[in-house]
Amino acid sequence: MAKAPEADAIVLFGGAGDLALRMLFPSLYFLDADGFLPEGFRIIAVARSELAAEDFWRQVREAVETRARPVAVDEAVWSRFAARLDYRAVDATQAGELKAVEAALAGARAPIFYLALSPSLYIGVCQALWASGLATPQSRIVLEKPIGQNLESSREINAALAEVFEEEQVFRIDHYLGKETVQNLIALRFANTLFEPLWNNLTIDHVQITVAETEGVGERWPYYDEYGALRDMVQNHVLQLLCLVAMEPPSDMDADSLRNEKVKVLRSLRPFTRHEAGQSSVRGQYVAGVAGGEAVAAYEAERGQPSATETFVALRVDIDNWRWAGVPFFLRTGKRLPERRTQIAIQFKGVPHSIFGGQATTDLTANRLVIDLQPDEDIELLLMNKAPGLSQGGMRLQSLPLSLSLLKAYSGPNSRRRIAYERLILDVIHGDNALFVRRDEVEQAWRWVDGVAEAWDEAAMAPRPYPAGSWGPAGAFALIERAGRAWYE
């Protein structure tokens, strides 16, 4: 397959929205500051609202300044970056209105079309791009999650995409895959002989994946009430992290090699049944409580009426293959939890026999590898060693956390952590889709998630209440305790 041409423009549909201002424009600015944007690269923001050029530049400037803190915006870089910017007020689902975008793209041969929009608009925008002639064999399209609301709607969107773009032109983005520590996980597993021989059911006891958010749903409730935690977070972010932990070694770093192995994991996930729904899953919805030291309202109060949408999910997941048979994966995600945390904890089995008597045996703790993605990025390995000093009755032991990440070493008072979108946008510019999700990945994930939702319906499982600021319903603790484990805190 021929190497994709370097992109020479990006069109941000939804260019006046929250995602564009918080993440996309700052990411593009920092890429420009580091010299990664091609010469002459243009950035065209598209939205329905009329917006004067001065107001548009002011909003983008404020967004960039917010993300750059504590470092000030470089005025020379800003001047170069601002010269790349353009804004067009059009309805992107109407082919006739895209004439304004075509004019802004004059001369661009390999544009990127970035859909920072509601998934309900994806099909309409794709059809308009085709009808207007903007979609060409050299262009590429980026879609934000979720791709659909279930398997059926995902297939409809993917079918519409396939009528306009080849699969190599489609970049389904999950920003978690752009995080430095997620990419470090790949390096940790496959660049070291130390871990890969131990990465199986002979030495690993269980795996925990936590994606916890302190925020409530707030004004996002019209979207969230339609999706819930299962479809909003588990189907993409959480399952992607699970795949990276559980996949077999790919033959190389080629996009299809990586994604083939992730699909194998998704196909190996044990389906949920009505019986397993009650034993292996928990649904929750936050009620009034205290978060961040302040009293906060219940989800139903934010929505304005009763709702059966879950804001918390905990699952026990089993992977039916030779590597992971018998190793449970415990997943949990939710809103209004005590802290913001995205973490993978890989718990190894204990030593088969302790040679240390008395208190030292009590001191023994099994090794644990903890990968933190947010709010701080770090990889930590828990080892056992001798406690310093003298003791009677034998050797005393203590656990020693060993940081395996260089991120902290490179941090300083004026440093900033890269936005995950920087890595991903740069990959789109160069046509590298290794860190993006393939069509069969999306659909296989939806197939499994739809099975969980159907099992809930068959078991008539309603969300259980949990106070805002807590770690979810009590059933989430019972879920993992039934397997003889406990959540890592």
Side-chain angles (χ1 to χ4, degrees):
M1 185 173 62
K3 180 176 173 59
E6 187 176 66
D8 48 13
I10 185 169
V11 181
L12 299 178
F13 294 106
D18 180 67
L19 175 65
L21 291 172
R22 284 192 307 110
M23 295 293 183
L24 304 184
F25 286 118
S27 295
L28 287 162
Y29 166 83
F30 292 129
L31 288 175
D32 197 358
D34 291 337
F36 288 122
L37 290 189
E39 185 176 352
F41 188 86
R42 279 170 282 169
I43 303 167
I44 299 111
V46 175
R48 291 184 178 181
S49 55
E50 294 289 342
L51 193 62
E54 295 77 12
D55 292 333
F56 168 65
W57 283 326
R58 176 182 52 78
Q59 290 183 15
V60 174
R61 171 77 186 225
E62 290 174 355
V64 169
E65 287 177 342
T66 299
R67 291 302 305 219
R69 290 172 185 157
V71 179
V73 170
D74 186 307
E75 294 302 329
V77 175
W78 171 254
S79 295
R80 182 174 70 236
F81 181 71
R84 301 180 187 271
L85 298 176
D86 195 358
Y87 181 85
R88 300 299 167 105
V90 302
D91 181 349
T93 62
Q94 302 300 313
E97 294 197 27
L98 291 182
K99 291 292 184 183
V101 177
E102 184 178 7
L105 284 172
R109 301 184 61 187
I112 299 166
F113 301 111
Y114 197 119
L115 274 55
L117 301 166
S118 166
S120 63
L121 299 174
Y122 288 172
I123 293 177
V125 174
C126 284
Q127 292 172 343
L129 288 171
W130 173 255
S132 67
L134 288 174
T136 68
Q138 288 73 42
S139 61
R140 54 207 69 158
I141 188 167
V142 183
L143 294 89
E144 283 283 338
K145 67 91 181 175
I147 312 295
Q149 190 183 1
N150 50 35
L151 179 59
E152 181 181 359
S153 59
S154 178
R155 282 175 167 166
E156 290 175 359
I157 292 172
N158 283 324
L161 282 169
E163 291 179 358
V164 181
F165 299 95
E166 297 294 332
E167 180 63 27
E168 292 76 17
Q169 296 175 266
V170 180
F171 294 74
R172 300 172 186 86
I173 200 165
D174 186 330
H175 72 272
Y176 273 38
L177 300 185
K179 289 182 176 292
E180 194 74 22
T181 312
V182 171
Q183 296 169 62
N184 246 339
L185 172 59
I186 298 174
L188 190 74
R189 283 195 61 186
F190 303 127
N192 299 284
T193 58
L194 175 64
F195 289 107
E196 186 54 30
L198 307 179
W199 213 264
N200 55 51
N201 56 6
L202 299 179
T203 54
I204 292 179
D205 179 77
H206 72 279
V207 177
Q208 298 180 25
I209 300 176
T210 296
V211 181
E213 299 177 281
T214 56
E215 303 89 353
V217 175
E219 295 180 357
R220 291 182 66 234
W221 73 260
Y223 158 82
Y224 197 88
D225 204 59
E226 190 177 356
Y227 284 83
L230 179 69
R231 291 182 169 90
D232 182 52
M233 293 296 290
V234 175
Q235 187 273 335
N236 41 79
H237 294 332
V238 179
L239 286 185
Q240 282 295 314
L241 296 179
L242 180 147
C243 286
L244 291 174
V245 172
M247 70 181 186
E248 295 295 319
S251 58
D252 51 40
M253 284 294 289
D254 178 74
D256 280 335
S257 298
L258 285 167
R259 298 189 290 187
N260 287 343
E261 299 305 332
K262 290 195 289 178
V263 170
K264 290 178 185 177
V265 174
L266 293 170
R267 293 181 63 183
S268 300
L269 298 181
R270 184 179 300 172
F272 266 65
T273 65
R274 175 180 176 178
H275 171 72
E276 288 170 332
Q279 294 295 312
S280 300
S281 69
V282 176
R283 298 178 75 196
Q285 184 185 102
Y286 63 83
V287 296
V290 177
E294 297 181 359
V296 295
Y299 173 73
E300 290 186 344
E302 292 175 334
R303 189 186 184 282
Q305 64 186 79
S307 171
T309 298
E310 78 281 350
T311 61
F312 176 94
V313 176
L315 302 168
R316 173 189 166 143
V317 177
D318 289 276
I319 301 174
D320 291 331
N321 62 23
W322 278 38
R323 181 182 290 262
W324 297 111
V327 178
F329 283 66
F330 297 100
L331 319 179
R332 62 175 173 173
T333 183
K335 300 280 189 183
R336 287 292 188 213
L337 299 182
E339 61 185 74
R340 179 172 172 259
R341 184 203 305 176
T342 300
Q343 183 182 79
I344 303 168
I346 298 164
Q347 180 66 60
F348 291 90
K349 294 180 179 179
V351 294
H353 169 69
S354 173
I355 65 171
F356 309 99
Q359 187 63 48
T361 298
T362 307
D363 294 336
L364 266 176
T365 301
N367 302 128
R368 182 188 302 119
L369 182 66
V370 179
I371 302 158
D372 287 310
L373 279 73
Q374 63 181 21
D376 298 314
E377 297 188 41
D378 192 24
I379 300 176
E380 185 178 270
L381 178 64
L382 185 71
L383 300 173
M384 296 301 300
N385 73 334
K386 178 189 176 297
L390 300 175
S391 61
Q392 290 184 322
M395 183 186 296
R396 293 297 304 272
L397 301 175
Q398 68 177 10
S399 59
L400 174 69
L402 176 66
S403 177
L404 303 180
S405 174
L406 293 178
L407 293 173
K408 291 181 178 179
Y410 290 130
S411 63
N414 294 323
S415 66
R416 67 170 186 90
R417 189 168 62 187
R418 281 199 179 274
I419 306 170
Y421 281 95
E422 294 177 50
R423 167 80 267 166
L424 299 174
I425 292 173
L426 185 60
D427 284 353
V428 180
I429 290 173
H430 292 285
D432 181 357
N433 47 21
L435 294 178
F436 296 82
V437 185
R438 201 169 59 191
R439 175 176 180 170
D440 55 343
E441 272 188 83
V442 174
E443 294 182 357
Q444 190 62 46
W446 273 125
R447 183 176 289 108
W448 186 80
V449 164
D450 282 356
V452 176
E454 289 166 7
W456 285 349
D457 289 342
E458 291 174 6
M461 277 185 59
R464 302 176 186 178
Y466 65 94
S470 70
W471 277 109
F477 295 93
L479 168 73
I480 196 168
E481 287 168 359
R482 280 195 292 271
R485 282 88 170 182
W487 292 110
Y488 175 64
E489 304 295 352

